[in-house]
Amino acid sequence: MTSKPLSNAGVSIPEVGLGTWEYRAGVEPLRRGLDAGALFIDTAESYGTEPVVGHAVAGIRDRVFVATKVSPEHFRFDDVLKAADASLKRLRIDRIDLYQLHRPNDAVPVEETLAAMERLVDAGKVRFIGVSNFSVAQLERARKAARKYPIVSNQVRYNVVDRTIEADLLKYCQASGLTVIAYSPLGRTFQSVLDCDPDGALADMARLTGRTMAQVALNWCLCADGVVAIPKGNSTAHVVENCGASGWRLTAEQRRLLDRRIRWRRRGRMEAFVRGVLPPPIKRAVRDIAQKLPPGLRRRFT
Ligand SMILES: NC(=O)c1ccc[n+]([C@@H]2O[C@H](COP(=O)([O-])OP(=O)(O)OC[C@H]3O[C@@H](n4cnc5c(N)ncnc54)[C@H](OP(=O)(O)O)[C@@H]3O)[C@@H](O)[C@H]2O)c1
């Protein structure tokens, strides 16, 4: 497993980590992923998976980089402190390696939230501070508000078919030395990636490289400087396969070929805004309805 530096923090993390949103497969697949070198697990207080992550890292905690997130409804100073304690308890660890603001919350000044995050670092309960779903403007404000400890990462959606962050955010993070943690690197459902690949470019590339389609799709993300990926697999087979996305690289020519043949897109500002303000249950309902549409239409909604 290849590692990449976490920002300028002086540590490296595996370039493929283990995502756990809607993860339901128990301890074993996570353990097998850790054995395969993905010593980096991402969870969140809202996922309900902190306990299983705690079980998976028990006994090898010092070798695993554990990332979790505080939910926006807990962004007031005291609530952040309480949320961190609750996460530590569920994870059964005494320090969170990367504590991330799950998504921006305009109702609470980010200065207040970051003051609490810094308090947690001072108390030894958090090692590094990160954010998630932050735009360039939101990152700039947050980075100014982080007075004692830098923000080291931004966790955002990035995959071979959704390249929205390439418009500005990716370059901003790369220029500022912030690590991009690519979420939904397999498109949230791998079918949504395949929907955008009607000519079978991924299958051709898999044959050419001797890898699987999922490994090719993940490796495409990892080719970008400063980007690591956290695919979620609900089986040992998927988790171990995804670890095989590391340790090799698509060539520039192979990436250009995928870029030409896959129907990737960047979301416009209006779509990104609407997605940002829609409550999760509505977003889920839209996605469920979209699954019943033909592929050409379906891919607009996933
Ligand atoms: N910060 C945020 O707001 C945010 C938002 C979304 C996600 N995330 C994080 O990012 C992680 C990953 O994103 P995600 O869960 O949205 O989706 P994802 O990792 O892009 O895709 C997961 C889907 O791909 C399938 N899959 C996994 N490995 C596969 C393989 N080798 N071949 C074929 N299909 C495969 C999974 O199937 P099975 O489940 O059947 O294995 C599942 O349906 C999350 O778990 C979470 O940790 C963060």
Side-chain angles (χ1 to χ4, degrees):
M1 174 69 67
T2 304
S3 290
K4 287 188 176 180
L6 176 69
S7 184
N8 303 315
V11 299
S12 291
I13 56 174
E15 64 179 4
V16 175
L18 305 172
T20 62
W21 179 46
E22 297 184 338
Y23 177 76
R24 297 174 294 272
V27 176
E28 188 54 23
L30 291 180
R31 277 273 177 176
R32 295 288 297 277
L34 295 169
D35 291 344
L39 292 157
F40 162 30
I41 305 195
D42 179 73
T43 180
E45 62 169 331
S46 62
Y47 293 174
T49 52
E50 287 176 327
V52 72
V53 170
H55 281 292
V57 304
I60 49 167
R61 194 272 167 270
D62 290 348
R63 295 174 48 216
V64 186
F65 190 86
V66 178
T68 191
K69 311 184 195 83
V70 53
S71 302
E73 62 272 23
H74 295 150
F75 279 8
R76 300 243 72 126
F77 189 94
D78 288 343
D79 295 338
V80 174
L81 304 186
K82 277 188 214 138
D85 281 340
S87 284
L88 285 167
K89 202 168 166 195
R90 284 188 293 268
L91 287 160
R92 300 191 301 157
I93 57 178
D94 53 20
R95 189 162 69 152
I96 296 163
D97 291 306
L98 179 66
Y99 203 32
Q100 304 156 100
L101 308 190
H102 202 144
R103 66 184 72 83
N105 177 1
D106 291 339
V108 181
V110 74
E111 291 75 11
E112 176 177 339
T113 311
L114 281 163
M117 299 290 270
E118 295 195 318
R119 174 74 66 85
L120 289 166
V121 178
D122 283 335
K125 294 180 179 182
V126 164
R127 206 165 153 210
F128 300 112
I129 300 171
V131 297
S132 176
N133 297 304
F134 273 44
S135 66
V136 169
Q138 288 159 336
L139 259 179
E140 284 190 324
R141 181 171 166 189
R143 291 178 75 213
K144 278 198 197 106
R147 290 167 189 278
K148 292 173 78 175
Y149 305 107
I151 289 169
V152 298
S153 58
N154 190 15
Q155 186 178 131
V156 285
R157 186 178 170 99
Y158 188 45
N159 58 55
V160 69
V161 300
D162 185 338
R163 308 189 184 182
T164 306
I165 66 164
E166 289 177 352
D168 57 357
L169 190 60
L170 179 60
K171 283 190 206 82
Y172 175 86
C173 290
Q174 287 170 331
S176 319
L178 293 181
T179 296
V180 169
I181 301 177
Y183 76 62
S184 302
L186 292 172
R188 209 190 76 81
T189 67
F190 195 50
Q191 186 56 48
S192 69
V193 171
L194 300 179
D195 286 348
C196 299
D197 180 23
D199 302 334
L202 281 171
D204 289 347
M205 195 55 69
R207 269 191 296 276
L208 194 70
T209 56
R211 314 283 171 172
T212 67
M213 287 194 288
Q215 288 170 340
V216 169
L218 289 171
N219 194 269
W220 180 91
C221 296
L222 303 177
C223 288
D225 284 342
V227 176
V228 299
I230 47 168
K232 189 267 313 213
N234 258 315
S235 63
T236 296
H238 275 171
V239 168
V240 171
E241 178 182 339
N242 295 342
C243 293
S246 177
W248 60 282
R249 283 291 181 267
L250 291 162
T251 65
E253 179 51 31
Q254 288 168 341
R255 292 201 300 276
R256 272 195 295 276
L257 210 115
L258 291 175
D259 293 348
R260 274 200 301 275
R261 292 181 59 192
I262 288 181
R263 298 186 187 174
W264 56 270
R265 69 194 185 102
R266 294 185 185 137
R267 297 174 201 274
R269 281 182 196 281
M270 183 50 79
E271 187 184 348
F273 171 77
V274 170
R275 281 176 176 270
V277 296
L278 280 183
I282 308 253
K283 277 198 266 194
R284 263 197 299 277
V286 171
R287 274 198 302 261
D288 289 347
I289 295 167
Q291 288 313 308
K292 300 184 174 72
L293 300 171
L297 271 177
R298 188 162 67 207
R299 65 170 190 257
R300 311 298 305 176
F301 293 93
T302 49

